[in-house]
Amino acid sequence: MVSTAHWLRMESASSTAFSFTLRRSLSTKLGEAAAATAAGSGITRRARRPSVRVSALSYRKFIQFALDETALHTHLTPSPLQESFSSMKPLDDKTEIELLSYKAPKIRLLRSLSIQGSKGLQVLDFAMFPEPEYDLPIFCANFFTAAETNIVVLDLNPLYDVIKHKGYKDKYYEGLMSLGLKYAELLPWGGKLTGESLRFFSPIVIWTRFESSQHMHDVLYSAFVDYLKAWLLLMDRGIRETDASHIIANCEAQHRYLTWRAEKDPGYQVLKRLIGETHAKNVVRSFLFDGVDSLGSKTFLDYFPEYRCEEGRVNEKRSMIGKSFATRPWNPKGEFIGNHND
């Protein structure tokens, strides 16, 4: 199995935060409230929500909450990827791998990869990608647990670099800064993060590490719940773009994000050990980051030429900029201050 040290080096947006168990009574009330809301507002919900096997000792309750909550806001249907990636048999008999994928009117792809292995290994890679007609952020949850170590990235990944695009930052994150500040206290900054990675994160990103405890997992689940609800509200308010040039720009921005993550995802090494190199490459490129081969034709080096080696291959170094951020590089207003504290 991949070493903990490898995962402690995880610093990219492709890498990779965790609350209180959802009580059955609360779930029932949410369902009843959603039904009333749907009746009055035209919001569509599924009569039967998607389900996963839930275990108190795994990340499956995160996935179940995400499916239940999303189904209150929109109509989820299985993605075409579901048939191709519904099951994945690991090379050993001690690991469980589950892949789920759905789509919805404003969601190009909702997908989840969860791994539960021996010696406490647990992984969750959950994301929701908007249709190109919307410039919504990308919901991203990457959680890794091994023995006593937990490494977490939770964010509403911006479609456009918020350091350069202030209007986009204000549009989507100005109203979420109090949420980000709440969890920045509960889940402190996890250590050095490369400048390249920062381009794909928002001012409310949770990047943290912690030792396993029930309390910290409760906090993490709470953060997941709150961030997911925040993203779904943004989705509800999202207005479909009709300007062709804006749709093309959104499509390229999402393709750039997917291209980066497909190339730099550190989870590939775990998958390679579990299911073999060929299957691992297929899962990363065609499932986790579906769209990298269909939303655009540019290559990784087209977007990131600084990674080109003399022989034309991609440099495998984590950072070409050489700048890292040991503390949170945004102030409480969401303004980038990284140039002053790196």
Side-chain angles (χ1 to χ4, degrees), residues 82 137 159 183 208 270:
Q82 187 62 47
L159 202 60
Y183 287 107
T208 192
V270 170

Side-chain angles (χ1 to χ4, degrees), residues 11 194-196 264 307 316-323:
E11 297 178 341
T194 65
E196 286 92 340
K264 293 296 181 178
Y307 279 85
E316 295 183 0
K317 288 182 64 176
R318 179 67 62 188
S319 174
M320 299 301 295
I321 295 177
K323 177 181 288 188

Side-chain angles (χ1 to χ4, degrees), residues 90-123:
L91 298 176
D92 63 50
D93 57 359
K94 300 178 181 180
T95 303
E96 294 183 38
I97 301 176
E98 188 169 34
L99 299 95
L100 299 171
S101 59
Y102 298 89
K103 61 180 181 176
K106 294 182 181 180
I107 302 173
R108 182 180 66 82
L109 176 65
L110 179 160
R111 55 81 173 150
S112 173
L113 165 67
S114 60
I115 300 172
Q116 187 163 332
S118 59
K119 299 181 180 179
L121 173 68
Q122 294 183 57
V123 176

Side-chain angles (χ1 to χ4, degrees), residues 3-258:
S3 68
T4 299
H6 170 79
W7 281 86
L8 289 174
R9 293 195 295 270
M10 179 181 68
E11 297 178 341
S12 75
S14 51
S15 62
T16 13
F18 292 125
S19 164
F20 310 114
T21 304
L22 189 63
R23 295 179 176 86
R24 183 178 300 275
S25 60
L26 177 58
S27 178
T28 301
K29 290 178 181 179
L30 281 173
E32 293 172 350
T37 301
S41 65
I43 294 175
T44 303
R45 56 171 293 202
R46 288 174 59 85
R48 296 180 61 189
R49 298 178 198 166
S51 63
V52 294
R53 291 169 296 163
V54 177
S55 167
L57 301 177
S58 77
Y59 287 132
R60 286 176 178 146
K61 70 174 183 177
F62 292 63
I63 302 170
Q64 190 62 61
F65 173 81
L67 295 177
D68 287 348
E69 188 69 15
T70 303
L72 298 179
H73 291 254
T74 188
H75 183 74
L76 286 175
T77 57
S79 161
L81 296 176
Q82 187 62 47
E83 184 175 352
S84 301
F85 293 94
S86 59
S87 63
M88 187 65 62
K89 185 175 176 58
L91 298 176
D92 63 50
D93 57 359
K94 300 178 181 180
T95 303
E96 294 183 38
I97 301 176
E98 188 169 34
L99 299 95
L100 299 171
S101 59
Y102 298 89
K103 61 180 181 176
K106 294 182 181 180
I107 302 173
R108 182 180 66 82
L109 176 65
L110 179 160
R111 55 81 173 150
S112 173
L113 165 67
S114 60
I115 300 172
Q116 187 163 332
S118 59
K119 299 181 180 179
L121 173 68
Q122 294 183 57
V123 176
L124 174 62
D125 190 335
F126 184 94
M128 289 194 283
F129 302 94
E131 291 283 6
E133 288 80 8
Y134 301 89
D135 66 355
L136 293 166
I138 296 165
F139 182 87
C140 167
N142 293 124
F143 306 152
F144 172 82
T145 298
E148 298 301 311
T149 300
N150 294 266
I151 303 173
V152 168
V153 172
L154 177 65
D155 195 18
L156 310 189
N157 290 159
L159 202 60
Y160 296 96
D161 187 337
V162 293
I163 299 173
K164 297 179 180 178
H165 299 272
K166 184 178 183 300
Y168 187 87
K169 177 180 73 69
D170 292 344
K171 177 180 179 180
Y172 285 114
Y173 302 102
E174 186 174 23
L176 297 177
M177 287 310 302
S178 60
L179 177 65
L181 292 173
K182 170 185 175 180
Y183 287 107
E185 291 292 326
L186 296 172
L187 298 162
W189 195 252
K192 287 186 176 182
L193 190 73
T194 65
E196 286 92 340
S197 301
L198 208 65
R199 297 180 295 196
F200 299 96
F201 286 150
S202 82
I204 66 168
V205 62
I206 296 173
W207 149 236
T208 192
R209 306 172 184 174
F210 56 82
E211 294 184 1
S212 294
S213 71
Q214 185 61 54
H215 170 71
M216 291 306 297
H217 279 278
D218 286 347
V219 172
L220 181 58
Y221 182 68
S222 180
F224 181 86
V225 166
D226 287 348
Y227 272 54
L228 185 84
K229 287 182 176 181
W231 189 89
L232 289 170
L233 287 176
L234 294 180
M235 182 198 73
D236 288 344
R237 299 167 185 164
I239 299 175
R240 185 180 180 87
E241 181 61 66
T242 57
D243 187 310
S245 63
H246 291 170
I247 297 173
I248 291 172
N250 291 343
C251 196
E252 180 166 313
Q254 191 171 150
H255 185 253
R256 181 175 183 269
Y257 172 93
L258 293 167

